[in-house]
DNA sequence: CGATTGCCGACTGTCGACAGTTTTACCAGC
DNA sequence: GCTGGTAAAACTGTCGACAGTCGGCAATCG
């Protein structure tokens, strides 16, 4: 993950094999080194990574709970492939969570939260100028994560984080198109304005518009490629 | 999943060891055979259940992702204990999900959905008459699960199911009080009426009231016992 | 008498191995 | 050439074992 850079480790890295394997797999999936629907062999992975099967299994289970892998009994793990319907569902849930979050947030909009969000928009704008698509996405998600954080409901944040893994998956899978930097910027500025106004309705409208745009981008991508049939990988 | 109070061994024999262990642990936690904050020893569990540590570990990881257990590196797994704040968060998220669900549902309220929900209310009323507290809770949750199901967003349903595990935990932990059977009944009838009316606002109001009542019951329980301090078990 | 340090037991993280099942490859029959 | 069945190969589910680590306890020192 791009987040790992900020993690306070780097002193001793001899521990937590499971986490390391999970990170590796996450990266590999997002960067499409494993294709959607592809089967992952435990033995081969453990050979490639130089670890035993136990941590690989645990890591795979972890990714399964995050919705990146799907396990079929006695068959193994498969890379999750999202069809159009599931994609819509993901964005619908995202809308559900973020609407609720911004309603809470506008009622407790502290100067601290305001500053943090504004700073993050700056970072995001900077990232938008660069060519690093992954970083743009991460900074974008980070902004929304901050919103959820300052909304003051840890469980809500966790639900969002859960969803984020899938979100990251479908965004990276499809969005090859470069969103214009200023589009990203203004889109987020509107959220800040709505929060500043203190009006729940304005916030509601802003977040609906914001997520609607993101959704359109992604869903359009699916429609164009037409790569994913109606039943790609059965959910469970 | 029938579960005998204390019988561990020989229960586990057929297939899907992980799932069975997970079910066993879930039941044991909900029925308070393991107390909140208590540490679970992998070796002891594997001895008691007559299986090796591998499935126990995987099951524990599963319950961790469901929020029933918490793992500390090199220390093992602990039974999750919710403090008052986390409890509020859970119910707030529940409100978020169910509001969204009922809004979707009222827009696609098919006769099939209507019938299914009405049947479930019947079952629930029947269960409410009985003394089986667990069954009452399960049937109640099942009603809400049906609502989420007919709302037509699988991912939303999954988020609800995730939350349900924690919900079950705190409800069972605290609610020793018997809700009056007719209270339960009318409370759900109001939801059906709101859906029948086809008015989103009515639905919104009905679900807010409904969950507000449930929340008050549980939160009051916490306040009364005062058993849980502000920091019981650190979340992660 | 209180604080610190070293030791001991217990436990987790990880590993390699075995058994049963699924998939694949191959061959015979149509 | 294609289909169906059989056998080998590969893989998952599960197990027991070993080593490093953590917490607690006791002996030692100030």
């Amino acid at each position: 993950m791009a987040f790992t850079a900020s993690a306070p480790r780097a002193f001793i890295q001899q521990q937590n094999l499971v986490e390391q394997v999970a990170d590796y797999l996450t990266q590999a999936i997002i960067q499409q080194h494993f294709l959607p629907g592809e089967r992952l062999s435990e033995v081969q992975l453990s050979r490639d990574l130089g670890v035993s099967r136990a941590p690989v299994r645990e890591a795979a289970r972890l990714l399964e709970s995050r919705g990146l892998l799907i396990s079929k009994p006695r068959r193994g793990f498969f890379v999750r492939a999202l069809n159009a319907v599931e994609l819509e569902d993901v964005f619908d849930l995202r809308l559900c969570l973020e609407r609720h979050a911004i309603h809470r947030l506008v009622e407790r909009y502290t100067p601290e939260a305001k500053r943090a969000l504004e700073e993050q928009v700056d970072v995001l704008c900077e990232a938008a100028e660069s060519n690093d698509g992954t970083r743009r996405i991460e900074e974008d998600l980070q902004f929304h994560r901050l919103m959820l954080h300052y909304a003051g409901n840890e469980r809500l944040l966790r639900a969002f984080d859960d969803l984020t893994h899938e979100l990251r998956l479908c965004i990276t899978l499809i969005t090859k198109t470069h969103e214009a930097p200023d589009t990203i910027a203004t889109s987020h500025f509107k959220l800040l304005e709505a929060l500043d106004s203190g009006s729940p309705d304005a916030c509601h409208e802003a977040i609906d518009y914001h997520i609607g745009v993101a959704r359109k981008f992604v869903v359009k991508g699916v429609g164009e490629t037409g790569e994913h049939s109606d039943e790609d990988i059965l959910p469970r």
Side-chain angles (χ1 to χ4, degrees), chain A:
Chain A
M1 256 180 257
F3 285 135
T4 46
S6 61
R9 62 186 186 195
F11 277 104
I12 29 180
Q13 188 160 341
Q14 193 52 42
Q15 49 193 8
N16 249 17
L17 268 189
V18 174
E19 198 104 355
Q20 292 182 48
V21 174
D23 282 354
Y24 169 83
L25 286 179
T26 305
Q27 282 300 313
I29 291 173
I30 288 183
Q31 299 183 7
Q32 300 231 46
H33 296 150
F34 301 126
L35 288 93
E38 186 176 342
R39 176 183 181 183
L40 299 187
S41 160
E42 292 179 10
V43 276
Q44 180 153 355
L45 279 175
S46 59
R47 261 200 304 267
D48 293 348
L49 298 177
V51 298
S52 87
R53 276 177 52 217
V56 172
R57 274 180 76 87
E58 288 200 21
R61 276 289 214 271
L62 187 63
L63 293 223
E64 184 192 10
S65 79
R66 290 181 184 169
L68 294 185
L69 294 181
I70 290 179
S71 83
K72 302 187 197 177
R74 299 235 166 245
R75 296 279 326 274
F77 291 91
F78 297 77
V79 178
R80 173 90 177 276
L82 294 145
N83 60 41
V85 174
E86 291 169 324
L87 214 84
E88 287 279 3
D89 286 355
V90 165
F91 273 89
D92 183 61
L93 178 57
R94 182 183 173 186
L95 192 62
C96 163
L97 298 179
E98 294 214 38
R99 266 188 198 154
H100 194 74
I102 206 168
H103 268 112
R104 289 179 60 103
L105 179 55
V106 76
E107 286 174 5
R108 65 191 74 193
Y109 198 43
T110 63
E112 182 198 345
K114 181 174 156 70
R115 201 180 56 240
L117 287 177
E118 286 172 350
E119 276 177 21
Q120 182 59 29
V121 170
D122 286 344
V123 174
L124 173 57
C125 288
E126 188 194 329
E129 308 268 352
S130 79
N131 280 329
D132 188 346
T134 307
R135 191 177 150 225
R136 277 212 307 253
I137 292 172
E138 288 307 321
E139 299 298 352
D140 195 343
L141 287 176
Q142 178 62 17
F143 173 84
H144 291 272
R145 193 172 190 284
L146 278 176
M147 284 210 328
L148 272 283
H149 170 73
Y150 285 109
N153 181 336
E154 283 293 320
R155 189 59 184 79
L156 182 66
L157 177 60
R158 185 151 80 84
F160 180 75
D161 281 339
D162 280 356
L163 189 65
T164 296
H165 293 113
E166 284 160 80
L167 214 49
R168 208 175 265 127
L169 178 63
C170 44
I171 291 176
T172 322
L173 276 183
I174 291 146
T175 306
K176 301 295 180 190
T177 57
H178 287 234
E179 233 175 322
D182 49 341
T183 306
I184 296 181
T186 53
S187 180
H188 285 85
F189 277 131
K190 277 187 183 169
L191 284 176
L192 291 181
E193 279 173 25
L195 282 168
D196 280 331
S197 79
S199 154
D201 288 340
C203 287
H204 193 105
E205 193 182 340
I207 197 72
D208 276 22
Y209 173 78
H210 186 91
I211 295 179
V213 170
R215 179 190 143 281
K216 219 183 299 178
F217 253 93
V218 174
V219 174
K220 192 186 66 181
V222 170
E224 278 176 358
T225 67
E227 187 181 330
H228 301 271
S229 70
D230 216 39
E231 271 306 321
D232 260 325
I233 290 291
L234 72 168
R236 43 176 68 182

